[in-house]
Amino acid sequence: MISSDRNMPGIEIINTAALHRQKDPLVPISGDAGSVDEIARMLPVDTAELRRCTGDEKSFIADVWGKRVRLTTGGIPASDLVSVRDIDRLLTSQPLLRADMIRLVRQGEILPRQAYLRSMREIYPRPVDHEMTENEHLLEMLTRGVASAAEVTAAVRAGATLILQSAHWYHPPLTEFCRSLELALGRRCRANIYLTPVSSQGFGLHSDPHDVFVLQAFGEKRWHVGATPWERRHGITDAAPDATEELLLRPGDVLYLPKGTPHRAHTLSARSGHVTISVESNSWREVLRTTLTRLVEDSLPAELLDAELPAGWPYDGGVLDEAAGRFLAEVRAALAEQEPEQVRSAHLRTFLTQLTDRIPGAFETDSVLGVLGVTDTTPLRRRKTVPCALFSQPATRRLYAVLGRRSVGMPDSHEKAMRFIAGRTEFTPEELSAELDERERLELCQALVDAHLLYTLQ
């Protein structure tokens, strides 16, 4: 269990994994009129980034997602996400850019890494010691090398496309952008940065095992895009597998490609920079895995799961068949009792705990608050990169705000206060006076600061 540094009666900060293991189940939250509402309520998230990628996120999700290619034009150039200066800084100001953070591709061929990697032995000639073997990143660089900015620059000048991989890990604008998309789509996202010189092509015609958003930052790029798998399954097209349509992306344009859509791209008379957002799959296979795991932990009795198989079952199939019949009947009965809201609730908790922690400004907030902590006049903001879903536990009259790997437990009387917080981008604790007394609201706000849902920059 993770405890807050401050004593907060009635409020606790715990690992969400510990919440999964609690004996008392999480069940539906009662609506304002006393009716049973959703088992979990995802508090509002900012969908501005999804709207930027799609124009109208509701019609996109209903009519386009996973089905058709869409080109959204005339939007905000993605230069706020990445610029030439950013690429320069990422490449040249990080002398130890790891091998896994970069790729070079020219005319459909991935350049061998030895062409642009530099041996760490040249930079760090010390023998391997205990400190190095304990430092995974350092050991990785020792064994695989680091990128040479000079060699990478030379390769790009010679026509290679530079790919900075998983840039959402180390480039803050993409960190926040990807988190916004993750919460809006319910899928994990990652970002790659592409820089392609004049009259050049990176990969040849290929398809990806995930959905893709392409945001043009600077320059222009001509794309050749084939039919989507959904269009072929539904007989909307009978074009040849390598048949493509030409699309020209300019700064501010966003291209959406469903999983499995063939595509390739090349530059014209100017170099091009774009960001590719890869949206990972979130399938019913994962929902089934979550549901079965929860059945094992919560619904099926231990004596059933731990019962021994009949002795001699490899030689007497009838004995095992009889026992298996009884076992499967119990499992089917437990599955039949599952409600859609319970399945969604369990999968939502699993999804939120899988998200990486993205809490910019955490130490700055600690410095601002100091030892006194939150006061009634402290201006607080909700951190966009931290999700929040509410779960109720009637047996204990507790409410849990799941914030990813961390959760905040509180009395169920705090629900209205939590909804107030969710609906504001900035507020002060004294604005909660209609719902909570001074001690309660300061304890709640302090816990939400300690758990990183809220922050202050004053």
Side-chain angles (χ1 to χ4, degrees):
M1 176 182 291
I2 299 176
S3 299
S4 172
D5 294 335
R6 300 171 178 84
N7 182 27
M8 290 180 282
I11 294 180
E12 59 180 343
I13 301 175
I14 64 174
N15 277 319
T16 301
L19 182 61
H20 296 334
R21 295 191 295 268
Q22 289 195 5
K23 180 179 179 181
D24 295 312
L26 300 175
V27 298
I29 296 173
S30 295
D32 294 336
S35 62
V36 174
D37 202 346
E38 300 171 347
I39 192 167
R41 294 175 177 175
M42 185 73 176
L43 295 187
V45 297
D46 185 358
T47 60
E49 305 300 6
L50 179 58
R51 195 176 311 118
R52 173 178 176 173
C53 291
T54 63
D56 178 355
E57 70 271 28
K58 291 184 179 180
S59 65
F60 172 82
I61 290 175
D63 303 326
V64 178
W65 175 263
K67 301 175 182 177
R68 303 178 178 89
V69 173
R70 171 178 279 187
L71 175 60
T72 303
T73 61
I76 303 171
S79 53
D80 63 324
L81 300 177
V82 66
S83 64
V84 174
R85 178 174 295 182
D86 291 330
I87 296 173
D88 261 338
R89 177 183 57 80
L90 292 170
L91 180 62
T92 62
S93 68
Q94 300 190 57
L96 298 183
L97 198 65
R98 300 198 314 269
D100 61 323
M101 297 168 66
I102 191 169
R103 271 195 302 175
L104 289 168
V105 183
R106 183 166 54 217
Q107 295 301 117
E109 297 293 332
I110 299 176
L111 272 61
R113 283 181 165 168
Q114 58 267 30
Y116 57 89
L117 293 185
R118 184 179 179 191
S119 170
M120 268 293 290
R121 297 299 183 190
E122 302 173 34
I123 306 169
Y124 204 86
R126 285 174 51 191
V128 174
D129 58 19
H130 175 72
E131 177 187 353
M132 294 180 182
T133 58
E134 289 295 310
N135 187 325
E136 293 181 2
H137 289 318
L138 184 55
L139 190 61
E140 168 79 6
M141 291 187 291
L142 279 169
T143 55
R144 299 181 64 181
V146 295
S148 164
E151 296 297 341
V152 170
T153 302
V156 173
R157 288 173 175 168
T161 292
L162 166 65
I163 307 172
L164 296 177
Q165 302 188 127
S166 298
H168 58 288
W169 294 121
Y170 50 87
H171 187 49
L174 290 176
T175 300
E176 186 167 328
F177 189 85
C178 282
R179 175 49 50 87
S180 176
L181 289 179
E182 286 176 330
L183 297 181
L185 292 170
R187 288 162 167 79
R188 286 175 291 184
C189 299
R190 61 183 188 273
N192 289 347
I193 297 171
Y194 287 73
L195 175 66
T196 304
V198 176
S199 302
S200 298
Q201 175 180 311
F203 292 108
L205 190 67
H206 69 287
S207 60
D208 297 315
H210 45 252
D211 295 78
V212 171
F213 289 108
V214 179
L215 295 93
Q216 190 69 21
F218 53 88
E220 297 180 350
K221 205 162 194 180
R222 189 175 300 280
W223 287 72
H224 301 261
V225 179
T228 70
W230 181 87
E231 290 170 333
R232 293 192 180 280
R233 284 197 306 271
H234 289 80
I236 296 174
T237 179
D238 57 0
D242 59 351
T244 59
E245 175 187 357
E246 288 191 5
L247 301 170
L248 181 63
L249 263 66
R250 299 183 174 90
D253 294 347
V254 182
L255 177 63
Y256 166 70
L257 300 174
K259 177 173 64 175
T261 303
H263 60 276
R264 64 181 177 88
H266 61 88
T267 54
L268 303 174
S269 58
R271 68 183 174 187
S272 164
H274 74 264
V275 175
T276 292
I277 307 294
S278 302
V279 185
E280 294 186 9
S281 175
N282 196 352
S283 68
W284 283 106
R285 182 187 300 273
E286 296 174 46
V287 174
L288 179 61
R289 184 181 298 116
T290 300
T291 302
L292 291 178
T293 299
R294 192 169 59 84
L295 274 178
V296 169
E297 295 175 350
D298 300 340
S299 302
L300 296 176
E303 56 269 22
L304 174 68
L305 295 171
D306 298 334
E308 295 284 344
L309 296 182
W313 67 265
Y315 310 103
D316 187 352
V319 173
L320 183 62
D321 290 348
E322 181 181 351
R326 293 193 299 270
F327 176 79
L328 291 175
E330 293 273 3
V331 173
R332 281 194 293 268
L335 271 175
E337 294 178 358
Q338 300 302 301
E339 297 292 337
E341 293 84 357
Q342 293 174 297
V343 173
R344 186 180 73 86
S345 172
H347 194 58
L348 175 59
R349 274 183 287 158
T350 299
F351 168 69
L352 295 181
T353 56
Q354 289 173 343
L355 296 176
T356 54
D357 296 329
R358 294 178 182 173
I359 50 174
F363 288 125
E364 188 174 1
T365 290
D366 289 347
S367 299
V368 170
L369 295 178
V371 295
L372 296 179
V374 173
T375 68
D376 241 357
T377 58
T378 302
L380 298 172
R381 300 177 184 177
R382 182 175 169 188
R383 189 174 271 113
K384 292 182 179 180
T385 54
V386 176
C388 182
L390 298 183
F391 295 80
S392 173
Q393 195 174 58
T396 59
R397 299 189 64 184
R398 300 286 286 171
L399 182 70
Y400 289 93
V402 176
L403 312 176
R405 293 170 61 84
R406 279 184 154 196
S407 294
V408 176
M410 65 194 77
D412 58 8
S413 58
H414 287 37
E415 183 182 350
K416 287 186 178 180
M418 286 299 301
R419 298 204 170 283
F420 174 89
I421 292 171
R424 299 295 185 94
T425 56
E426 185 172 335
F427 70 100
T428 60
E430 63 184 350
E431 294 179 66
L432 298 170
S433 57
E435 309 299 339
L436 304 173
D437 63 33
E438 183 179 7
R439 179 186 63 82
E440 290 173 330
R441 62 181 180 262
L442 293 184
E443 289 172 351
L444 174 62
C445 290
Q446 185 63 64
L448 296 176
V449 167
D450 291 348
H452 307 299
L453 179 67
L454 303 177
Y455 71 103
T456 183
L457 295 179
Q458 185 182 17

